[in-house]
Amino acid sequence: MEEKNWNTPKPGEWKSEELSQGRVIDYKAFNFVDGEGVRNSLYVSGCMFHCKGCYNAATWSFKAGQPYTQELEEQIMADLAQPYVQGLTLLGGEPFLNTGFLLPLIKRVRRELPEKDIWSWTGYTWEEMMQETPDKLEMLSLIDILVDGRFDITKKNLMLQFRGSSNQRIIDVQKSLKAGKVIIWDKLNDGDQKFEQVSRDDLL
């Protein structure tokens, strides 16, 4: 039997209310790697996709990590309020299988800090998301940028911006919802330049 590179759900098969344990793996404030600008990143617990070669397989278990608490939420909000922070990033794990606590957090950010942007990674493709459960679609409607799709180890490319394989896309959510089709983030800048090698002797 051919080995699968990931799991694929039927539309609506995986439900946050059945899978999520309300837990997070990590929270990293003031980082520069999980999207544009200075960001606060929340890594949630639990993922059903199980992509071969996933760099963060420790997040697959919904029982991993620590409970999401009100104390953590207050810390996230305080950190986001800093003027040099551009926004919040949701990843993990699968954020869209943790809507029970992420939706209230996102709504609070929109209400109290509307100038901040919200990025999320997901194993779902945009096309799959359009057939998903109401909670996932509501969460999608409240974020700005979605990095979609499974990690495909056969398409791994270390030069890509903010993603690991070339099948994944950085999607402008609000423009895409308005247009009814995928609109790629207009600041996409993959590092595909080729550099001539210079020997040490050439520099002497």
Side-chain angles (χ1 to χ4, degrees):
M1 181 179 294
E2 184 179 354
E3 183 180 5
K4 295 190 299 182
N5 284 339
W6 53 68
N7 296 324
T8 298
K10 298 175 183 177
E13 179 181 2
W14 296 342
K15 296 179 174 63
S16 175
E17 63 267 26
E18 296 176 357
L19 294 168
S20 177
Q21 300 294 311
R23 300 176 75 85
V24 298
I25 288 287
D26 199 5
Y27 168 62
K28 296 181 179 178
F30 317 132
N31 77 77
F32 299 88
V33 297
D34 296 329
E36 184 183 36
V38 180
R39 311 201 64 79
N40 297 329
S41 300
L42 184 63
Y43 292 75
V44 301
S45 302
C47 182
M48 296 289 286
F49 288 105
H50 295 187
C51 300
K52 183 179 179 180
C54 173
Y55 85 102
N56 215 4
T59 68
W60 288 358
S61 172
F62 287 90
K63 296 180 180 179
Q66 304 295 324
Y68 179 82
T69 63
Q70 190 62 39
E71 181 181 9
L72 174 57
E73 182 169 310
E74 297 306 324
Q75 185 63 57
I76 292 170
M77 295 301 295
D79 293 340
L80 274 177
Q82 299 301 316
Y84 53 84
V85 173
Q86 181 168 330
L88 174 68
T89 296
L90 307 171
L91 61 175
E94 174 53 60
F96 286 85
L97 293 177
N98 285 279
T99 56
F101 65 91
L102 289 184
L103 259 175
L105 171 62
I106 292 170
K107 289 178 180 179
R108 184 177 177 188
V109 173
R110 287 298 182 218
R111 183 173 63 251
E112 298 181 18
L113 298 168
E115 73 279 9
K116 305 296 181 176
D117 64 19
I118 300 175
W119 286 49
S120 182
W121 269 248
T122 182
Y124 290 98
T125 65
W126 178 271
E127 292 76 15
E128 288 172 327
M129 193 69 77
M130 293 298 100
Q131 302 180 66
E132 271 302 324
T133 52
D135 58 318
K136 297 185 186 73
L137 291 172
E138 182 180 9
M139 187 164 125
L140 180 69
S141 74
L142 293 170
I143 68 175
D144 299 288
I145 300 294
L146 184 76
V147 182
D148 84 327
R150 274 66 115 194
F151 170 68
D152 186 342
I153 197 169
T154 68
K155 298 179 180 179
K156 181 178 179 179
N157 184 342
L158 298 179
M159 299 297 285
L160 298 174
Q161 187 181 26
F162 302 133
R163 60 210 199 280
S165 58
S166 59
N167 59 298
Q168 297 171 311
R169 299 170 292 186
I170 306 178
I171 298 172
D172 187 314
V173 172
Q174 300 306 315
K175 288 182 179 179
S176 297
L177 290 174
K178 186 175 182 180
K181 62 180 181 180
V182 169
I183 303 295
I184 299 299
W185 184 47
D186 60 12
K187 297 180 183 179
L188 182 66
N189 182 28
D190 287 334
D192 56 0
Q193 300 95 334
K194 294 180 173 61
F195 299 95
E196 181 181 356
Q197 295 298 311
V198 178
S199 71
R200 181 176 181 275
D201 290 341
D202 292 334
L203 300 175
L204 297 177

